[in-house]
Amino acid sequence: MNVITAAALANFKKNKSRNLLIGTAIALTAFLLTILPTVGLGMIEIQNAAANHFYPIYHGMYRNVKEETAGELLKEEELESAGLREDPAVMYCEDRDADISMVAVDEQTVRLSKTELSEGQFPEAADEIVVSPRIMELMGFEGGIGDRITVPFQPVTKEGLGKVKEKEFVISGMVDDSENAVKNGMYTSIVTHGFAKEILPEGFHQYRVYFRLKDTDNTDKNLLEEKITEIGEKYGIQQKDIVCNSEYLWANFTDPETFKAGFLVMLLIVLTGVITIYGIYYVSMLDKVQEYGKLRAIGATKRQLRSLVFREGFAVAGIAVPLGILAGLGASLLFIRGLVYLDMNTDFVLTEQMKMVYENHEVHVVKLWIIGLSLLVSLFTVYLALLRPMRIAARVSAIEAIRYRGNDGLKKKSRRGFEYLNIKRLAAVNMGRNKKRTAVTISVLGAAGILFMTAATVLSCLSPEAAVKEEIRSTIRMELDSWEGDEMHPERELCEIQKKNPLDEELKERILQTDGIKRIDKISCINVGIREEGVREADGTPLQTEIFGLSDMALSELEEYVKEGSLKDPSLSSGEGIVLQESIRINWPVFETFGPGDRISLELYDGDRIIKKEFVLAAVVDAPRCLGGYSFSMPDQALRGFSERDLTYKYDIYVQPGKEDAAEEELRGLIAEEMFISMDTYKAQYEAAEKSIGMIRYACYGFLLVLGLIGILNLVNTIMNSVYVRKRELGMLQAVGMSGRQTAKMLQMEGLFYTAGTLLLSLVLGNGAGYLIFLWSKRTGMMGLKDYIYPLVPSAVLILTVLTVQMLVTYLVNRSFRKQSLIDRIRFS
């Protein structure tokens, strides 16, 4: 062992308290560098594996493709594989609530869509078919594989569904009924393209082309989506008919934005670790300058002194980094298990798949490369933190070091004295003695405090109450389960469901007869297209949204959200006026300058009719989704005047306290057979929001807690070293009459200066930054923040924590200082 290594080890053993602080800071840094990528990537890989179990494997799909174009796409050089699907007919079923499609697929489509049979084989001849047990039951068929059944069906024509025809099929295979199929009453039988050619005339065939792209290794998700769009446009396919299999792409190809966010968080941890470890070393170096000067005097070179500081620092890191990584791995495993079983994903099937993947250990969340990366980044963090202390040690000269007493530089500076000394002046003199040390300590603590208060401000606004308030305004909500633009299921469009609206007066009366129901508030809705210039779909058609018809009660609730204009405007009740949501002005630039009195051209889709209408803007509101959505609204009676159909869209049902659960159970029974009605409750929404927001809070506050601990270590080190390097000075002051109580008071004042600086930075800059993020979120709609809530509890916790830590550390340091005799303090050098 050479002299430098021996000296470094001797210093390592001597400076136990400092090394404990530095080691803890390094271990916490390694802990964060391990737990964040392990949890983040672990959850992504578990979800990806679950998605690969559940979702089909095609990269994209083109809809409404003509025969000639489909043939060209099958030969496209940039496609690795491609298959065709056609929906030539639907079975004619006596049960009108059941929808049974007859889908023609080829071998590639079967593979790409991951369709599996429970028994038998896929059809090959035009008279072969695959059905399910539920289809057999609904159609009244009997038999099994190899048996013949006569199927009544309606071919798909240009005008819609054609007349009923019959054809005899042989059952070649059986497929299981999924939970979603049974729940929604929508089933699929499989036939061949030969059957489609028999019943549809040439030139009328419309295909869906499923495909995978070539050369996708090391390609990110965004580039793949751009490529899919580019190929579609090359063949004249409209934008609305270009579909990317987003879940599969997300699960199997990198998303640059995800890795950018992860990199920024890791960089933040490294910077925090560098500043903190540097701060501890910098403060600790002040009492070692004389030691380094003596080493220079006996012949030590600059390189040897740098090596001494480097080896001492890495001796601490050699113990702390492995401990931090091990702790990070253990916490990661616990955290991932909690996330998997927390059921935060809204997709029930995917959640169950994630649990299965986790239980079967299909994904190894502990990765050697993450451990190696954490090790290297942690050591690199320590190295960066040591650069400045190494320079200080190397530049010390023997003469300057002998005179050195811990001021800002190594050169002697003049200092203004006082005619009369008191405790406050003594404390101020010490704080100004090394301004860099004071600034470093306050900066490190302040940075952690700013992050804490910024996150606390956002999290306080992100409350379960606010989230639920955005979605539901009553105890129970029933609404039409509709969606637009699905050519496979046009019956799901709002205007189609409203032709025979299940939310009718009969259902309303049955709901009111349920025990505990106080009242029902009806909301109506109609689809509209915006006819203003600059608001168009890619194919040039008007961009679609909705107008919601609000009851008198809903309009009275909407009053508090009015930003411009008035809901008392007579144009509203006459049907000439309309209310604009602020989110429309934010998201669509063409509406940025719109205000009360301006006119908006819309076209209302009333079934097969299109009603073109110009409305005057009566008011602008910034309301939650449950009061008009993110679109237009007007009084319910005025909206109903535009249509002969029942435009009812939603029932907001209010229940007496204490009877919510019983009412929910009975109402679910009422609509059990209704496939076009969905139901939700305030209680379920609140529990889901509380669970997801709670997990976000735990993760954020846990991360900030570790950063805060790293900062607090700097405060502890600063106060300890401040007393340590002044033992002789304090002993002399006590020798000339300064009491122990006065000494403690002076140290408390010094500590309070750090506390005041930290709290000033944290509360002013942290709350300011948090408020700016809130305003940005409210303006853009990101994170769904609507109401500003000052983080009073987090502010109080921060103040109490910093004060308590400062007072406790000062007390313990002063107590240790008093254990030495006055003579020993004066003799200290």
Side-chain angles (χ1 to χ4, degrees):
M1 183 183 299
N2 61 32
V3 175
I4 299 299
T5 301
L9 290 176
N11 273 337
F12 175 77
K13 295 176 182 178
K14 175 187 173 185
N15 302 316
K16 292 180 181 178
S17 59
R18 185 193 70 169
N19 289 336
L20 180 62
L21 290 174
I22 294 172
T24 305
I26 294 172
L28 289 173
T29 302
F31 174 84
L32 287 178
L33 289 171
T34 303
I35 191 172
L36 285 175
T38 301
V39 172
L41 291 178
M43 285 303 299
I44 288 174
E45 289 194 4
I46 289 173
Q47 186 164 332
N48 290 351
N52 283 329
H53 277 294
F54 182 65
Y55 292 111
I57 62 172
Y58 59 86
H59 292 155
M61 174 182 67
Y62 299 133
R63 297 182 301 194
N64 299 321
V65 180
K66 295 180 180 179
E67 280 184 81
E68 183 179 349
T69 306
E72 293 173 358
L73 278 168
L74 293 179
K75 300 174 184 177
E76 170 61 46
E77 292 182 355
E78 296 193 66
L79 301 185
E80 177 185 273
S81 58
L84 301 180
R85 164 182 165 171
E86 186 177 11
D87 300 8
V90 296
M91 288 190 187
Y92 181 77
C93 182
E94 294 294 338
D95 186 345
R96 302 309 297 166
D97 290 332
D99 179 14
I100 307 173
S101 300
M102 301 179 74
V103 176
V105 295
D106 56 19
E107 184 178 345
Q108 286 289 3
T109 303
V110 167
R111 183 180 69 84
L112 294 175
S113 60
K114 293 178 67 174
T115 305
E116 296 181 356
L117 301 182
S118 57
E119 58 178 315
Q121 62 184 22
F122 287 97
E124 296 179 356
D127 64 345
E128 292 182 335
I129 191 170
V130 169
V131 292
S132 70
R134 182 62 178 158
I135 292 176
M136 296 286 285
E137 180 184 341
L138 289 168
M139 298 297 296
F141 298 147
E142 294 182 356
I145 303 296
D147 291 328
R148 290 185 171 274
I149 54 175
T150 300
V151 178
F153 65 88
Q154 293 176 276
V156 177
T157 67
K158 290 182 180 180
E159 293 75 26
L161 295 178
K163 294 182 179 180
V164 179
K165 297 182 179 180
E166 289 187 348
K167 181 177 176 65
E168 189 177 63
F169 287 91
V170 176
I171 300 175
S172 66
M174 297 288 290
V175 66
D176 291 328
D177 294 296
S178 67
E179 290 184 17
N180 285 335
V182 175
K183 177 182 176 182
N184 297 321
M186 302 170 73
Y187 307 91
T188 300
S189 62
I190 302 174
V191 292
T192 65
H193 288 293
F195 167 71
K197 290 178 180 179
E198 281 185 4
I199 66 169
L200 298 179
E202 188 175 349
F204 183 70
H205 296 273
Q206 295 277 342
Y207 294 101
R208 294 187 183 194
V209 181
Y210 294 80
F211 60 87
R212 287 178 64 88
L213 298 172
K214 283 183 179 178
D215 303 322
T216 57
D217 294 339
N218 302 318
T219 305
D220 69 55
K221 175 177 174 286
N222 293 343
L223 290 177
L224 279 177
E225 290 178 342
E226 290 174 8
K227 191 67 176 177
I228 291 169
T229 302
E230 180 184 321
I231 295 173
E233 291 174 347
K234 172 182 172 183
Y235 286 92
I237 298 171
Q238 295 185 4
Q239 183 66 42
K240 66 177 183 178
D241 291 324
I242 299 174
V243 180
C244 297
N245 189 3
S246 299
E247 291 82 3
Y248 179 79
L249 295 182
W250 189 86
N252 291 276
F253 298 94
T254 58
D255 186 346
E257 298 304 318
T258 301
F259 286 95
K260 284 179 185 177
F263 174 77
L264 289 175
V265 173
M266 297 282 281
L267 183 61
L268 174 64
I269 297 168
V270 170
L271 289 175
T272 305
V274 168
I275 292 171
T276 303
I277 298 168
Y278 160 72
I280 295 174
Y281 270 118
Y282 177 79
V283 172
S284 302
M285 286 290 294
L286 300 180
D287 67 295
K288 296 175 71 63
V289 172
Q290 289 188 7
E291 177 185 330
Y292 294 136
K294 292 173 183 177
L295 289 174
R296 288 294 305 276
I298 62 175
T301 65
K302 292 182 178 182
R303 183 176 180 181
Q304 286 174 323
L305 288 176
R306 283 196 296 264
S307 180
L308 176 65
V309 176
F310 178 83
R311 294 182 191 185
E312 185 180 350
F314 269 76
V316 179
I319 298 173
V321 170
L323 290 177
I325 291 175
L326 288 174
L329 290 174
S332 297
L333 294 175
L334 293 174
F335 203 70
I336 288 173
R337 179 179 177 82
L339 287 174
V340 169
Y341 286 93
L342 192 61
D343 293 345
M344 287 179 63
N345 200 306
T346 54
D347 190 329
F348 173 78
V349 178
L350 192 59
T351 299
E352 293 304 306
Q353 291 286 345
M354 288 176 65
K355 291 177 182 177
M356 182 187 73
V357 168
Y358 179 80
E359 290 168 357
N360 293 339
H361 305 289
E362 294 182 29
V363 172
H364 300 289
V365 295
V366 177
K367 301 184 183 300
L368 289 178
W369 71 266
I370 290 181
I371 296 174
L373 180 65
S374 300
L375 178 65
L376 290 175
V377 174
S378 299
L379 294 178
F380 180 67
T381 301
V382 175
Y383 173 74
L384 290 178
L386 286 171
L387 286 176
R388 175 69 174 167
M390 284 193 293
R391 290 196 191 101
I392 294 175
R395 77 182 187 187
V396 174
S397 70
I399 300 301
E400 289 175 333
I402 292 172
R403 297 200 305 258
Y404 188 69
R405 289 294 181 270
N407 54 357
D408 267 334
L410 294 174
K411 294 181 180 180
K412 185 176 180 180
K413 294 183 179 179
S414 61
R415 188 177 69 194
R416 183 174 66 87
F418 298 99
E419 185 175 355
Y420 300 103
L421 278 178
N422 56 30
I423 300 301
K424 290 182 181 178
R425 286 179 172 177
L426 283 173
V429 167
N430 184 56
M431 298 307 299
R433 180 175 291 170
N434 196 302
K435 297 181 180 66
K436 286 184 180 178
R437 178 190 65 189
T438 304
V440 166
T441 301
I442 292 177
S443 297
V444 173
L445 280 168
I450 290 169
L451 284 172
F452 176 81
M453 289 309 304
T454 301
T457 301
V458 174
L459 292 173
S460 66
C461 300
L462 196 67
S463 65
E465 292 85 357
V468 177
K469 183 181 177 182
E470 185 72 19
E471 298 294 335
I472 187 169
R473 55 189 276 261
S474 58
T475 316
I476 297 173
R477 179 189 67 200
M478 280 187 190
E479 67 180 16
L480 297 182
D481 189 10
S482 65
W483 58 77
E484 309 299 318
D486 188 347
E487 295 191 4
M488 271 295 296
H489 301 290
E491 75 282 354
R492 281 288 182 179
E493 294 192 5
L494 180 63
C495 61
E496 291 298 318
I497 297 175
Q498 287 178 336
K499 288 179 180 178
K500 191 178 179 182
N501 201 325
L503 294 177
D504 54 17
E505 287 299 316
E506 180 185 351
L507 178 61
K508 180 180 177 181
E509 290 302 319
R510 293 173 67 189
I511 293 172
L512 288 172
Q513 292 172 10
T514 302
D515 183 39
I517 303 298
K518 293 194 295 186
R519 65 179 183 274
I520 297 175
D521 194 35
K522 290 200 302 185
I523 304 293
S524 57
C525 179
I526 191 171
N527 287 332
V528 298
I530 301 174
R531 299 176 61 211
E532 299 293 332
E533 289 297 325
V535 188
R536 297 279 169 176
E537 297 281 8
D539 59 358
T541 58
L543 187 69
Q544 292 193 26
T545 182
E546 307 88 16
I547 298 178
F548 287 90
L550 305 183
S551 66
D552 292 341
M553 186 171 73
L555 285 170
S556 66
E557 293 178 27
L558 193 64
E559 285 281 0
E560 65 174 291
Y561 300 103
V562 175
K563 295 189 67 176
E564 300 174 27
S566 171
L567 297 182
K568 307 296 184 185
D569 193 309
S571 65
L572 287 174
S573 57
S574 68
E576 296 297 318
I578 200 168
V579 177
L580 176 71
Q581 282 280 354
E582 175 67 13
S583 57
I584 291 181
R585 293 204 300 191
I586 293 171
N587 295 324
W588 295 334
V590 70
F591 288 112
E592 281 181 348
T593 59
F594 274 56
D598 290 330
R599 293 187 170 274
I600 298 176
S601 296
L602 303 175
E603 50 187 42
L604 286 66
Y605 303 129
D606 182 34
D608 298 326
R609 291 194 308 154
I610 296 179
I611 306 168
K612 295 183 179 180
K613 175 73 177 175
E614 189 176 69
F615 293 93
V616 61
L617 184 58
V620 178
V621 299
D622 189 10
R625 187 179 291 109
C626 62
L627 278 174
Y630 290 152
S631 40
F632 300 98
S633 55
M634 64 193 308
D636 181 65
Q637 289 301 320
L639 181 63
R640 290 178 185 273
F642 291 106
S643 176
E644 297 177 356
R645 293 179 295 120
D646 182 357
L647 297 181
T648 302
Y649 175 71
K650 177 172 63 173
Y651 284 163
D652 283 319
I653 304 168
Y654 296 84
V655 183
Q656 296 174 12
K659 297 185 177 181
E660 296 91 347
D661 292 342
E664 178 188 352
E665 184 178 355
E666 189 166 344
L667 294 184
R668 288 199 184 278
L670 279 180
I671 63 170
E673 301 300 323
E674 295 286 351
M675 62 181 294
F676 295 121
I677 299 179
S678 65
M679 182 174 135
D680 206 349
T681 67
Y682 183 93
K683 179 181 177 182
Q685 285 271 354
Y686 187 89
E687 289 175 350
E690 190 175 39
K691 186 183 290 185
S692 58
I693 292 174
M695 181 54 66
I696 293 172
R697 282 179 174 167
Y698 292 144
C700 289
Y701 282 134
F703 173 67
L704 293 172
L705 175 63
V706 177
L707 289 182
L709 288 174
I710 295 174
I712 286 171
L713 292 174
N714 207 348
L715 174 64
V716 173
N717 181 70
T718 301
I719 295 175
M720 288 177 61
N721 277 276
S722 175
V723 174
Y724 178 76
V725 299
R726 291 188 295 151
K727 280 185 180 180
R728 184 177 183 182
E729 176 185 323
L730 293 174
M732 293 179 68
L733 286 171
Q734 289 182 332
V736 296
M738 186 175 179
S739 67
R741 186 174 181 181
Q742 287 175 317
T743 304
K745 187 175 180 182
M746 182 184 70
L747 295 176
Q748 287 287 5
M749 286 182 178
E750 293 175 10
L752 285 172
F753 183 84
Y754 291 115
T755 300
T758 299
L759 293 177
L760 185 66
L761 286 175
S762 303
L763 296 177
V764 175
L765 297 182
N767 283 329
Y771 185 69
L772 290 175
I773 293 174
F774 163 77
L775 292 178
W776 170 79
S777 173
K778 185 176 181 179
R779 184 178 64 83
T780 61
M782 294 292 288
M783 295 187 287
L785 303 185
K786 287 287 186 181
D787 301 315
Y788 177 73
I789 302 173
Y790 181 79
L792 185 61
V793 173
S795 298
V797 169
L798 179 67
I799 293 170
L800 289 174
T801 300
V802 176
L803 278 172
T804 302
V805 169
Q806 176 264 313
M807 295 180 70
L808 181 62
V809 172
T810 305
Y811 169 76
L812 293 175
V813 169
N814 184 54
R815 182 181 176 186
S816 175
F817 174 71
R818 285 187 320 204
K819 289 181 180 179
Q820 289 185 319
S821 66
L822 183 60
I823 299 301
D824 288 336
R825 295 175 210 164
I826 295 174
R827 291 170 59 189
F828 175 78
S829 176

